[in-house]
């Protein structure tokens, strides 16, 4: 850490120590003039230069903390997302320093009344889409305009011209050559503006019709992809004396040579940052420093420069990496060591949550081009009337629409009614909104691998370098592509809804052009998608043979962010292509051939169909491999379940007849065998192997009349015969059909295959039992006996896997059901109500893998709770339910009832469709057919978590 910054007393002269009177000097006063005592000024007028170059003056007490001045400024600007910004000033050495909120102004600026501070962006998020307010994005655009002029945002001449053209569009509106030339002569955007003059005009000509908000969005979107976005250089040298530049960003400490980045020290790699005099020290974690030394050292120009850079690093790390701001250190009683500096504002997570929870009332905000009106208006009651001149028909900004700013907090009925009133009625809009919602979920799913899992394996140095390269070089480019695609869709939907609020029609009320462009780009990723099976196989192989990686893998699957089995997320990129095809098909069916969006949608559909056709076989193989890998982890006593040619067909719960009666068992049907297991001991998430039957020579016969239990059938194998009972007639028919089909397929397969379970078989059992099993031993504490069995105590991702849901819901799922579930995934905001409560809660809901996952907002990293839907029935409420709202559907399993309200007729139909597809996989049992092992424990646990 840094050294102590000392304070020194003023030394007395020899005369004053001896009591000599201080000499007064020669008086220059006029006769009769009296010398008045010097009075310290109680207030100082501090000048602040804003991002639009206007100067505001604030009255403060010099001894007050910097936070007082900052608070005055935020209130004056009505700035909600103020934590991204700060005030900076130049010190004697002429480099910029941030005003510290917790330190008196007079101790930071010698003469506050003579100084000019300037408002600036302090923290640059990697994705400007995280900025919730249009006003914030406007200020960010002004900051980038300043950076261009000051040559901080260095980029190619063409890119600089493009950025300037968008800034020009935001400032003066549509292209007008005379007006453009006059404006550019009077206003400087670039240091070498004359050379880029014609390029700027050529680009500006393309932006006709673009609003100021759209222009700001384009500026941010272009700038965020530049190497120098948000970079502030601090001149330094390394140990060899080589001149370098240090900088800090959301990801860590960056090292540049000139303007070329040569190294990045991610926060996950850094153990400690400190400084000692002019030396800036980075201490790395021992397991990640690799070829570097344990501690890296850089030399800055002075101690003050070094300490200033260290402070900026501390603030960046806290803002972007921590969930809560750190608590202040207790003051030392006698001596202190090191700096007590800390970041005192909100972290980005706290700021986002504050905005989402409605912590501050949004101020209506409008902008117009400067050639028609002043460029910015913030409407408040206490501002002069001439400022609040927004036209009533534009009372809401397009980019403050619910598409971008849904916060998940409770809404009043009047607010919901007003929102629905202004919502577009075109079904194409809701299809486009479904694309947006599911894309948000998909990107979060990719981050489970690209961000969270990567961080876990890097921290423990658990993954071989070759596998790291294979995995992340395959998925990182896909992730970056979809980030850009999501931003385009978000922006288009915001404009679309904004135009609907203003009751105008526009060419931007379409989505086909964006889809066509991006579907064509997706074709270039085909080779990446085709390597996913290799990635999955190599990850499984490395996990099996690497103790450290296996431990990290298992530990990571227990984290809340990993809400599905980890390898499931590796299938998401190819599955997403199927979703695009289905959504585009829906759009094409909706549009008439003469619609202006029809041709683009048809071409986009043809493009993505070509890609999915190419990858169809790969997807089938991947889904089968993933299913076998997941079962291999869940089944104890079975080795080498993954074998060439083995295909998963069905899994589910049946009751096997033994001398003790019907015993609950979990059965797994594969293309070459039928395997059955029992639940492990209480609290365990595994199933123990009990026996297997080869399909070769097997015969299935219905035998309900021979046994007292309903829905029985007999399975005759080569060495063993068993009798099993299904929970319902429908379940029995599914098992008999799949078994008969699989037996017939096994007969016609090549005769050279080795039967499973026999010598030489690839499938091995760790604990072989008698092949003629009649009575199975009961493990101590086995929860299968009696109604006490539940999923309580299991990790959430285990509680929601199909194997456990099938066990507790007494049902089954087939390969076809899994394939259908891939096509029926959905995301969006719903209002939820429990059966015995009155209030409705707004939640972001994700439907995937036969389960509903509930989040507070779409930006959350992990779900609050979940609800497996196998066995549930979906319907519209009855009169007795007392629900008097539109677009409400009802979910019910036995006594467990939930109500959900969708925002429109289209979304209501879509939720009904996808939930019916999940619930119909197993059919809701009637009361007479209830399993003797009810899942009340599961439902109670889930409901407790949700409430």
């Amino acid at each position: 850490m840094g050294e102590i910054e000392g304070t020194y007393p003023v030394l007395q002269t020899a005369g004053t120590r001896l009591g000599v009177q201080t000499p007064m000097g020669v008086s220059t006063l006029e006769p009769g003039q009296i010398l008045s005592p010097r009075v310290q000024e109680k207030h100082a007028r501090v000048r602040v230069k804003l991002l639009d170059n206007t100067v505001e003056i604030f009255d403060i007490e010099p001894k007050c903390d910097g936070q007082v001045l900052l608070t005055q400024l935020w209130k004056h600007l009505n700035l909600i997302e103020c934590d991204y910004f700060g005030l900076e000033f130049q010190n004697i050495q002429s480099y910029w320093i941030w005003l510290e909120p917790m330190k008196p102004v007079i101790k930071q600026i010698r003469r506050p009344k003579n100084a000019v501070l300037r408002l600036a962006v302090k923290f640059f998020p990697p994705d400007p889409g995280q900025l919730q307010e249009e006003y914030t994005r406007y200020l960010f655009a002004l900051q980038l305009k300043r950076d261009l002029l000051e040559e901080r945002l260095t980029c190619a001449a063409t890119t600089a011209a493009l950025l300037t053209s968008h800034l020009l569009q935001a400032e003066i509106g549509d292209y007008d050559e005379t007006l453009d030339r006059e404006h550019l002569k009077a206003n400087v955007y670039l240091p070498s503006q004359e050379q880029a003059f014609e390029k700027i005009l050529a680009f500006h000509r393309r932006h006709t019709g673009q609003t100021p908000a759209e222009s700001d969005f384009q500026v941010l979107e272009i700038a965020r992809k530049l190497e120098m976005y948000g970079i502030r250089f601090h001149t330094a040298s390394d140990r060899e004396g080589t001149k370098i530049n240090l900088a800090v960003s959301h990801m860590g400490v960056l090292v540049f040579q000139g303007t070329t980045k040569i190294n990045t020290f991610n926060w996950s790699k850094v153990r400690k940052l400190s400084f000692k005099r002019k030396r800036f020290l980075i201490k790395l974690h021992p397991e990640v420093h690799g070829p570097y030394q344990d501690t890296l050292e850089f030399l800055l120009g002075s101690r003050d420069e070094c300490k200033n850079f260290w402070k900026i690093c501390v603030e960046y790390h806290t803002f972007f990496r921590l969930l809560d701001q750190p608590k202040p250190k207790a003051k030392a009683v006698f001596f202190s060591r090191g700096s007590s500096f800390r970041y005192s504002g909100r972290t980005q997570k706290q700021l986002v949550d504050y905005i989402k929870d409605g912590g501050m009332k949004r101020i209506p905000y409008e902008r117009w081009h400067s050639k028609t009106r002043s460029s910015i208006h913030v409407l408040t009651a206490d501002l002069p009337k001439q400022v609040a001149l927004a036209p009533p028909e534009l009372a809401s900004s397009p980019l403050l629409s619910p598409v971008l700013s849904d916060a998940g907090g409770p809404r009043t009925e009047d607010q919901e009614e007003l929102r629905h009133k202004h919502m577009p009625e075109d079904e194409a809009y809701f299809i486009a909104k479904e694309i947006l919602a599911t894309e948000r979920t998909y990107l979060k799913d990719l981050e489970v691998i690209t961000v969270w899992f990567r961080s876990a394996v890097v921290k423990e140095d658990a993954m071989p370098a070759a596998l790291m390269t294979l995995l992340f070089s395959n998925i990182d480019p896909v992730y970056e592509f979809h980030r850009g695609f999501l931003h385009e869709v978000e922006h288009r939907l915001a404009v679309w809804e904004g135009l609907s609020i203003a009751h105008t029609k526009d060419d931007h009320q379409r989505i086909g052009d964006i889809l066509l462009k991006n579907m064509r780009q997706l074709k270039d990723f085909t080779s990446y998608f085709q390597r996913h099976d290799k990635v999955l196989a190599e990850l499984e192989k490395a996990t099996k043979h690497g103790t450290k990686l296996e431990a990290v893998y298992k530990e990571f699957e227990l984290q809340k962010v990993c809400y599905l089995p980890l390898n499931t997320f590796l299938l998401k990129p190819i599955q997403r292509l199927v979703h695009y095809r289905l959504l585009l098909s829906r759009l094409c069916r909706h549009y008439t051939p003469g619609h202006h969006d029809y041709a683009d949608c048809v071409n986009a559909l043809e493009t993505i169909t070509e890609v999915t056709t190419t990858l169809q076989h790969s997807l089938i193989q991947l889904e089968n491999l993933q299913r076998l890998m997941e079962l291999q982890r869940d089944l104890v006593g079975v080795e080498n379940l993954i074998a060439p040619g083995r295909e998963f067909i069905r899994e589910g719960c049946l009751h096997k007849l033994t001398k003790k009666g019907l015993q609950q068992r979990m059965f797994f049907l594969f293309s070459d065998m039928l395997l059955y297991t029992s639940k492990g001991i209480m609290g365990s998430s595994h199933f123990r192997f009990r026996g297997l039957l080869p399909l070769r020579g097997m015969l299935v016969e219905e035998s309900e009349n021979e046994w007292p239990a309903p829905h029985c059938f007999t399975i005759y194998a080569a060495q063993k015969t068993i009798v099993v009972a299904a929970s319902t007639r429908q379940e029995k028919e599914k098992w008999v059909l799949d078994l008969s089909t699989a037996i017939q397929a096994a007969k016609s397969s090549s005769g050279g295959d080795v039967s499973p379970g026999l010598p030489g078989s690839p499938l091995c059992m760790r604990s072989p039992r008698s092949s003629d099993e009649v009575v199975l031993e009961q493990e101590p504490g086995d929860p299968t006996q009696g109604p006490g069995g539940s999923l309580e105590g299991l990790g959430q991702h285990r509680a929601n896997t199909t194997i456990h849901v099938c066990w507790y819901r007494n049902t089954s799922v087939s390969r076809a059901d899994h394939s259908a579930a891939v096509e029926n995934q959905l995301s969006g905001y719903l209002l939820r109500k429990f059966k015995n409560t009155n209030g409705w809660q707004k939640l972001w809901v994700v439907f995937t893998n036969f389960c509903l996952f509930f989040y507070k907002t779409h930006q959350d990293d992990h779900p609050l709770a979940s609800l497996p839907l196998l066995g549930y029935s979906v319907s519209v409420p009855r009169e007795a339910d007392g629900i008097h709202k539109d677009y409400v559907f009802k979910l019910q399993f036995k006594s467990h009832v939930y109500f959900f309200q969708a925002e429109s007729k289209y979304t209501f139909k879509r939720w009904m469709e996808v939930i019916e597809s999940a619930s119909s996989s197993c059919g809701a049992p009637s009361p007479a057919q209830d399993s003797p092992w009810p899942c009340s424990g599961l439902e109670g646990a889930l409901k407790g978590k949700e409430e």
Side-chain angles (χ1 to χ4, degrees):
M1 282 298 171
E3 297 175 329
I4 308 170
E5 194 168 18
T7 57
Y8 306 97
V10 178
L11 296 178
Q12 293 178 313
T13 65
T16 56
R17 286 201 303 272
L18 296 173
V20 178
Q21 186 177 2
T22 304
M24 300 300 295
V26 179
S27 175
T28 58
L29 295 176
E30 296 293 330
Q33 188 174 355
I34 301 173
L35 179 66
S36 60
R38 185 177 179 181
V39 180
Q40 184 178 359
E41 296 182 9
K42 291 186 178 180
H43 289 83
R45 294 170 64 81
V46 178
R47 291 175 294 170
V48 175
K49 187 176 183 180
L50 304 181
L51 283 162
D52 61 357
N53 291 326
T54 60
V55 176
E56 297 288 343
I57 298 176
F58 297 90
D59 286 333
I60 62 166
E61 294 183 8
K63 290 185 178 181
C64 72
D65 289 342
Q67 186 61 54
V68 174
L69 176 58
L70 290 170
T71 301
Q72 284 192 37
L73 178 60
W74 308 149
K75 185 176 180 181
H76 174 77
L77 294 175
N78 289 291
L79 183 56
I80 297 177
E81 295 175 291
C82 55
D83 298 83
Y84 287 108
F85 301 86
L87 284 175
E88 57 181 0
F89 60 93
Q90 284 184 302
N91 66 356
I92 299 174
Q93 292 79 22
S94 296
Y95 60 83
W96 291 98
I97 297 177
W98 292 108
L99 183 73
E100 294 182 32
M102 307 303 291
K103 193 173 180 180
V105 174
I106 196 66
K107 287 190 176 182
Q108 303 182 66
I109 309 171
R110 288 191 174 182
R111 297 180 178 87
K113 65 179 182 179
N114 296 331
V116 177
L117 293 83
R118 69 176 190 178
L119 176 65
V121 174
K122 190 173 188 178
F123 302 113
F124 289 82
D127 178 7
Q130 295 172 330
L131 304 175
Q132 302 292 306
E133 299 288 316
E134 181 190 332
Y135 183 38
T136 310
R137 290 190 286 273
Y138 164 69
L139 294 179
F140 263 72
L142 290 181
Q143 177 67 63
L144 295 170
K145 176 183 176 182
R146 178 191 287 175
D147 289 351
L148 274 174
L149 184 60
E150 295 180 353
E151 297 185 276
R152 280 180 164 182
L153 188 61
T154 55
C155 55
T158 303
T159 305
L162 179 59
L163 285 166
T164 304
S165 69
H166 283 295
L167 292 168
L168 197 61
Q169 176 72 18
E171 181 64 25
I172 66 174
D174 290 345
Y175 174 79
D176 181 314
E177 184 173 357
T178 303
L179 183 62
D180 278 26
R181 292 185 181 277
E182 290 177 356
H183 181 83
L184 289 174
K185 286 178 181 178
N187 299 273
V188 180
Y189 289 83
L190 300 172
S192 54
Q193 186 162 296
E194 293 181 1
Q195 300 174 13
F197 214 93
E198 298 304 323
K199 280 187 179 179
I200 295 171
L201 296 181
F203 281 128
H204 188 204
R205 192 179 292 112
R206 303 177 185 177
H207 306 329
T208 301
Q210 195 167 278
T211 66
E214 291 176 286
S215 300
D216 292 343
F217 189 91
Q218 291 301 322
V219 169
L220 269 61
E221 185 62 22
I222 296 166
R224 76 174 182 87
K225 299 175 183 177
L226 300 176
E227 188 89 282
M228 298 300 295
Y229 166 69
I231 296 300
R232 301 292 181 260
F233 280 158
H234 298 260
T235 305
S237 59
D238 60 17
R239 280 184 173 176
E240 287 73 35
T242 305
K243 294 296 181 183
I244 58 169
N245 290 312
L246 295 178
V248 63
S249 74
H250 70 282
M251 66 175 63
V253 180
L254 314 178
V255 183
F256 288 80
Q257 208 157 37
T259 57
T260 303
K261 185 167 65 176
I262 60 174
N263 214 333
T264 301
F265 297 102
N266 288 324
W267 296 125
S268 59
K269 298 179 182 179
V270 177
R271 183 180 177 185
K272 182 180 180 182
L273 293 176
S274 61
F275 71 94
K276 188 173 183 181
R277 296 184 178 88
K278 297 194 295 183
R279 291 182 294 151
F280 180 74
L281 306 172
I282 303 176
K283 191 175 182 66
L284 302 174
H285 286 289
E287 62 270 20
V288 298
H289 62 73
Y292 302 106
Q293 299 165 342
D294 179 58
T295 302
L296 302 174
E297 183 178 308
F298 301 95
L299 194 67
L300 278 83
S302 67
R303 178 186 180 277
D304 288 344
E305 289 181 54
C306 191
K307 185 175 183 179
N308 181 46
F309 181 62
W310 173 78
K311 286 181 177 180
I312 295 171
C313 291
V314 170
E315 292 187 312
Y316 253 83
H317 176 267
T318 306
F319 184 77
F320 286 109
R321 292 283 290 183
L322 301 187
L323 300 180
D324 301 304
Q325 60 196 78
K327 295 180 180 178
K329 294 181 180 179
K331 291 186 177 181
V333 179
F334 298 108
F335 303 102
S336 64
R337 184 178 180 182
S339 173
S340 61
F341 175 80
R342 64 184 179 86
Y343 173 64
S344 57
R346 290 175 294 199
T347 65
Q348 188 186 36
K349 177 69 166 58
Q350 289 177 314
L351 177 58
V352 170
D353 290 345
Y354 174 75
I355 301 297
K356 290 190 296 187
D357 294 340
M360 185 170 181
K361 186 178 179 181
R362 278 196 169 96
I363 305 299
Y365 161 76
E366 294 298 334
R367 284 176 60 206
W368 297 276
H369 300 298
S370 60
K371 66 182 179 184
T372 56
R373 287 175 181 258
S374 59
S375 61
I376 173 171
H377 291 271
V378 181
L379 311 184
T380 60
D382 58 343
L383 290 181
K385 291 184 178 180
Q386 62 267 26
V387 178
L389 292 175
E393 66 273 16
L394 292 172
S396 175
S397 168
L399 290 181
L400 288 180
S401 69
V403 174
L404 286 181
S405 59
D406 275 327
R411 290 178 181 264
T412 65
E413 291 189 12
D414 291 341
Q415 287 174 321
E416 287 295 330
E417 184 180 348
L418 180 63
R419 180 170 174 266
H420 288 299
K421 184 178 180 181
H422 286 154
M423 190 174 291
E425 298 178 358
D426 187 3
E427 184 172 307
Y429 163 78
F430 291 105
I431 298 174
K433 194 170 182 181
E434 181 179 339
I435 295 173
L436 170 63
T438 51
E439 190 72 12
R440 282 172 168 167
T441 298
Y442 169 60
L443 209 64
K444 282 291 185 183
D445 287 344
L446 289 184
E447 287 175 358
V448 174
I449 300 291
T450 61
V451 176
W452 299 99
F453 185 57
R454 188 205 306 264
S455 177
V457 295
V458 167
K459 181 179 179 181
E460 301 297 332
D461 193 20
M463 186 177 287
L467 180 56
M468 282 281 290
T469 301
L470 175 64
L471 172 58
F472 294 111
S473 66
N474 207 55
I475 200 167
D476 282 348
V478 177
Y479 172 69
E480 289 301 323
F481 165 79
H482 285 283
R483 280 184 63 189
F485 175 51
L486 174 62
H487 297 156
E488 289 187 62
V489 177
E490 282 181 330
H491 179 57
R492 178 59 58 85
L493 264 292
V495 174
W496 193 334
E497 187 167 277
L499 292 168
S500 297
I501 291 173
H503 305 292
T504 60
K505 293 291 183 180
D506 189 89
D507 191 52
H508 286 88
Q509 291 179 315
R510 56 187 299 181
I511 196 68
D513 56 332
I514 292 176
L515 293 173
L516 177 59
K517 182 187 78 171
N518 285 277
M519 294 307 106
R520 285 173 174 170
Q521 292 178 16
L522 269 177
K523 286 184 67 175
D524 299 334
F525 289 93
T526 303
S527 60
Y528 290 88
F529 300 135
Q530 290 173 329
R531 288 198 294 269
H532 272 54
D533 56 344
K534 182 180 179 182
V535 173
L536 203 59
E538 289 297 319
L539 180 60
E540 174 68 13
K541 181 180 176 181
T543 305
K544 189 174 182 180
H545 295 95
T547 306
K548 184 183 283 189
L549 180 58
E550 182 183 25
V552 171
Y553 194 111
K554 289 180 178 179
E555 177 66 26
F556 184 74
E557 282 201 320
L558 296 175
Q559 305 303 313
K560 290 181 179 180
V561 72
C562 190
Y563 69 99
L564 297 172
L566 178 59
N567 54 26
T568 304
F569 295 101
L570 289 171
L571 272 65
K572 294 291 185 179
I574 300 184
Q575 293 174 345
R576 186 59 178 157
L577 304 178
V578 178
H579 303 157
Y580 292 144
R581 188 193 69 209
L582 295 170
L583 289 162
L584 276 162
S585 298
R586 200 171 291 122
L587 271 173
C588 291
R589 288 195 301 269
H590 168 70
Y591 285 137
T592 59
H595 193 278
H596 66 277
D597 205 21
Y598 178 76
D600 284 343
C601 287
V602 169
N603 290 332
L605 176 59
E606 291 175 355
T607 303
I608 198 62
T609 301
E610 180 183 342
V611 177
T612 54
T613 302
T614 303
L615 296 170
Q616 184 175 2
H617 182 65
S618 297
L619 178 58
I620 293 172
Q621 287 185 318
L622 269 174
E623 290 176 342
N624 185 65
L625 177 59
Q626 184 274 330
R627 196 76 204 105
L628 293 177
M629 289 171 61
E630 185 180 340
L631 291 176
Q632 181 74 76
R633 286 191 170 84
D634 284 331
L635 305 183
V636 175
V638 179
E639 293 182 352
N640 301 326
L641 186 62
I642 304 167
R646 178 169 291 143
E647 296 179 6
F648 165 80
I649 297 175
R650 180 176 287 276
E651 63 181 324
C653 183
L654 294 171
H655 287 77
K656 181 177 176 294
L657 189 63
T658 69
K659 288 183 179 180
K660 287 188 176 180
L662 289 174
Q663 300 274 327
Q664 187 177 8
R665 295 289 177 261
M666 192 71 185
F667 280 75
F668 303 91
L669 176 60
F670 302 96
S671 56
D672 58 345
M673 65 177 177
L674 178 66
L675 185 149
Y676 52 98
T677 63
S678 65
K679 189 75 172 66
I681 60 175
M682 178 69 76
S684 169
S685 62
H686 294 92
F687 288 78
R688 299 189 64 82
F689 168 74
R690 290 297 186 181
L692 69 82
L693 305 173
L695 293 192
R696 290 285 181 81
M698 183 182 287
L699 179 66
V700 179
E701 183 180 87
E702 297 192 34
S703 51
E704 281 199 37
N705 298 330
E706 300 178 22
W707 306 100
H711 319 308
C712 287
F713 57 97
T714 305
I715 301 174
Y716 300 93
Q719 300 178 356
K720 178 164 46 177
T721 298
I722 63 173
V723 177
V724 293
S727 58
T728 66
R729 177 170 295 279
Q730 185 182 10
E731 275 293 297
K732 172 190 169 183
E733 291 172 353
K734 289 178 180 179
W735 276 105
V736 171
L737 177 61
D738 281 352
L739 276 165
S740 302
T741 305
I743 292 168
Q744 188 61 39
K747 280 183 183 179
S748 58
S749 63
S750 58
D753 292 346
V754 181
S755 297
L758 300 178
S761 168
L763 184 69
C764 301
M765 310 302 160
R766 297 195 196 102
S767 305
R769 297 179 176 272
S770 167
S771 62
D772 190 21
E773 179 200 30
V774 177
V775 180
L776 299 179
E777 300 297 327
Q778 186 68 43
E779 287 98 341
D782 190 336
T784 60
Q785 301 302 312
S790 77
L791 295 183
E792 295 184 48
L794 298 180
Q796 177 161 317
H797 74 287
R798 288 298 178 192
N800 295 322
T801 54
T802 52
I803 183 173
H804 290 90
V805 178
C806 287
W807 175 265
Y808 288 100
R809 295 275 169 82
N810 202 13
T811 187
S812 68
V813 174
S814 70
R815 175 175 58 190
D817 296 330
H818 279 285
S819 298
V822 170
E823 299 182 356
N824 290 286
Q825 299 190 23
L826 195 59
S827 306
Y829 282 103
L830 292 174
L831 296 177
R832 184 193 63 181
K833 176 186 175 301
F834 295 112
K835 179 176 65 173
N836 297 320
T837 60
N838 296 322
W840 292 80
Q841 183 183 13
K842 187 177 182 183
L843 294 168
W844 177 259
V845 184
V846 173
F847 173 71
T848 185
N849 289 45
F850 309 102
C851 189
L852 291 179
F853 295 91
F854 303 109
Y855 301 75
K856 191 173 183 181
T857 75
H858 71 268
Q859 295 172 321
D860 293 350
D861 293 320
H862 59 81
L864 301 169
S866 59
L867 181 66
L869 291 184
L870 292 177
Y872 266 81
S873 63
V874 58
S875 62
V876 295
R878 298 172 299 176
E879 187 67 29
D881 293 320
I883 304 296
H884 305 292
K885 291 178 176 290
D886 294 330
Y887 315 134
V888 175
F889 58 90
K890 174 183 178 182
L891 288 177
Q892 182 168 8
F893 178 79
K894 299 182 180 178
S895 61
H896 305 284
V897 179
Y898 304 87
F899 299 99
F900 294 90
Q901 184 183 22
E903 66 176 350
S904 67
K905 182 179 180 181
Y906 171 83
T907 50
F908 166 76
K909 287 169 57 180
R910 286 291 293 134
W911 281 105
M912 290 283 285
E913 287 171 9
V914 298
I915 293 174
E916 281 177 347
S917 73
S919 57
S920 64
S921 296
C922 63
S926 64
Q929 298 170 333
D930 281 351
S931 164
W933 291 270
C935 54
S936 57
L938 165 67
E939 300 300 331
L942 290 173
K943 187 172 181 180
K945 288 181 182 177
E946 293 167 60
E947 292 179 318

